[in-house]
Amino acid sequence: MTGFALSTLFAIAIASKALAQPDPADPTPLTDKHYAYPTGIPYQIDYNTAAIRGPQYGYNICNSTTQNQNSDCQTIMVNGIDDFCLWAPPQPNSTIGDTEAIEVGWCSKSGWGTRLIPAGTLTGVQVLKTSKYIQFAGFINQVNLNLALGDYGGELDPHGADLRGNPLGALVYSNAFSGGGTNYSQVNDWNSFIGGDIFCFTICDPSSSAADQSAYCQNIYDEIGCTYNMPNNAQNGTFEVCDADLKTPVGIYVTNGVTMTYTQPYTGPVNPPYTPIVPQSSNCVTYQSTQLYSNLPTPTTAPSSSSSHSGSAAATGSKSSSGSSPTSTSNGATAVGVSSMAGILGTLFAVAFLS
């Protein structure tokens, strides 16, 4: 990735954030709020009742007293394939578009004071570790996480139209950038998609440059989902951790030797003029799910009948539905075509949301 391309994308991201209007009652962007784990975290970080959206649905002080399947903890950990959390709705049969501001933490391991991801929910997970970020992608039975059957979900990130994030009050921590152990760093730039029985979640190294974090944890391409934001070759039924090359930041592509930048339209059809390429990976280690996830609760809802995907975890549009038809290319990457229905619904919802 050339410096020109990276700086161009950073400029686009800054311009997008300039379109956002900070809430006068809570004008400090979520990405600028820093709290040491665990003693520096307040009960709620977005508590202003005068704010246009809010106040915050849940809470940020999470421990053994909040560890249950009704927890509204909104502080999560993303450490490794055996120890990570997802954002998902607090109530059954919900859609991401309706609940993006109030999602709560669901984790694969007990101890963080959140709800636990029910047994059998994670059906395939790939973790790609790079020098700038760590990317998770995989397959889920989403009804176990209170997502409605058939909801193709959307994007969750620490930005939003008022820079207060979705969900409001969302805090993300990780020990992956500090060598493991109990030294947890706050991850201020991250993005996530969930829906369509898949998920993807990228956490950017907080010690990397602002340009790198903006490029690799981009949040302005919410209508084109995991396919473009987090290219992957995760497989249903496979659990693996790999080293990987850096992805080409979403929106950047090369045609006829010229580096180009695609900007998602605010309204109208969303048709990126390029096919994303999955970065090369190496040193992959494969696990059995029983090695990774134990002592998880039994699901309280029936598994989704549409969870038997194959191919990569690549669809998942934002605040709308999207579909895909994964096909393998000659280099082992994944070419995904977003359905026409995704374009239609994306157009309808783009007017209502600015991520």
Side-chain angles (χ1 to χ4, degrees):
M1 179 54 50
T2 65
F4 170 76
L6 197 60
S7 62
T8 299
L9 189 61
F10 185 53
I12 292 173
I14 294 299
S16 175
K17 291 174 183 177
L19 294 174
Q21 297 295 320
D23 191 321
D26 191 1
T28 303
L30 178 57
T31 53
D32 290 345
K33 295 179 179 181
H34 302 275
Y35 307 97
Y37 184 87
T39 57
I41 299 176
Y43 177 71
Q44 285 183 319
I45 70 168
D46 196 323
Y47 55 84
N48 196 321
T49 57
I52 296 171
R53 288 195 304 153
Q56 181 176 343
Y57 175 83
Y59 40 79
N60 296 109
I61 294 181
C62 309
N63 49 44
S64 60
T65 66
T66 65
Q67 183 78 59
N68 60 72
Q69 292 307 95
N70 293 311
S71 175
D72 289 328
C73 173
Q74 293 180 304
T75 297
I76 66 171
M77 287 288 176
V78 184
N79 295 324
I81 191 170
D82 64 332
D83 185 11
F84 70 95
C85 309
L86 298 173
W87 296 115
Q91 300 298 329
N93 200 34
S94 298
T95 66
I96 295 298
D98 290 335
T99 62
E100 62 178 3
I102 64 171
E103 313 300 8
V104 298
W106 297 72
C107 298
S108 67
K109 181 175 287 188
S110 180
W112 305 123
T114 66
R115 305 181 189 206
L116 291 177
I117 296 173
T121 300
L122 299 168
T123 62
V125 179
Q126 180 188 62
V127 178
L128 299 179
K129 301 167 67 176
T130 80
S131 60
K132 302 292 185 182
Y133 61 86
I134 300 174
Q135 174 181 295
F136 292 69
F139 296 85
I140 55 175
N141 289 317
Q142 69 182 38
V143 294
N144 294 344
L145 298 175
N146 285 346
L147 271 75
L149 179 66
D151 178 38
Y152 278 85
E155 182 181 42
L156 302 165
D157 62 72
H159 302 282
D162 53 10
L163 303 180
R164 293 168 63 203
N166 286 307
L168 296 172
L171 290 180
V172 177
Y173 290 85
S174 178
N175 66 8
F177 302 113
S178 55
T182 58
N183 186 14
Y184 299 100
S185 302
Q186 184 177 349
V187 178
N188 284 85
D189 238 331
W190 52 270
N191 70 326
S192 171
F193 291 82
I194 189 169
D197 285 325
I198 64 173
F199 74 92
C200 57
F201 200 135
T202 292
I203 55 172
C204 277
D205 188 340
S207 68
S208 62
S209 69
D212 282 338
Q213 293 185 58
S214 180
Y216 296 118
C217 283
Q218 192 55 261
N219 74 296
I220 62 174
Y221 293 91
D222 58 344
E223 297 292 338
I224 53 179
C226 294
T227 305
Y228 287 82
N229 284 271
M230 302 179 214
N232 67 85
N233 50 16
Q235 300 295 314
N236 205 2
T238 298
F239 298 82
E240 65 176 359
V241 179
C242 305
D243 294 330
D245 294 342
L246 294 171
K247 64 186 174 184
T248 299
V250 56
I252 301 295
Y253 64 101
V254 177
T255 181
N256 297 323
V258 178
T259 300
M260 308 288 287
T261 300
Y262 166 73
T263 304
Q264 178 184 288
Y266 186 59
T267 60
V270 178
N271 297 306
Y274 72 99
T275 298
I277 298 174
V278 179
Q280 291 294 318
S281 58
S282 60
N283 304 321
C284 294
V285 178
T286 303
Y287 301 88
Q288 296 298 314
S289 62
T290 52
Q291 295 177 269
L292 303 172
Y293 314 117
S294 60
N295 301 317
L296 295 177
T298 301
T300 57
T301 53
S304 166
S305 61
S306 63
S307 63
S308 57
H309 290 286
S310 62
S312 72
T316 308
S318 96
K319 288 100 180 180
S320 59
S321 298
S322 70
S324 66
S325 301
T327 56
S328 295
T329 63
S330 58
N331 66 355
T334 301
V336 180
V338 178
S339 71
S340 58
M341 183 58 68
I344 294 170
L345 293 176
T347 299
L348 293 175
F349 282 90
V351 178
F353 293 95
L354 172 64
S355 289

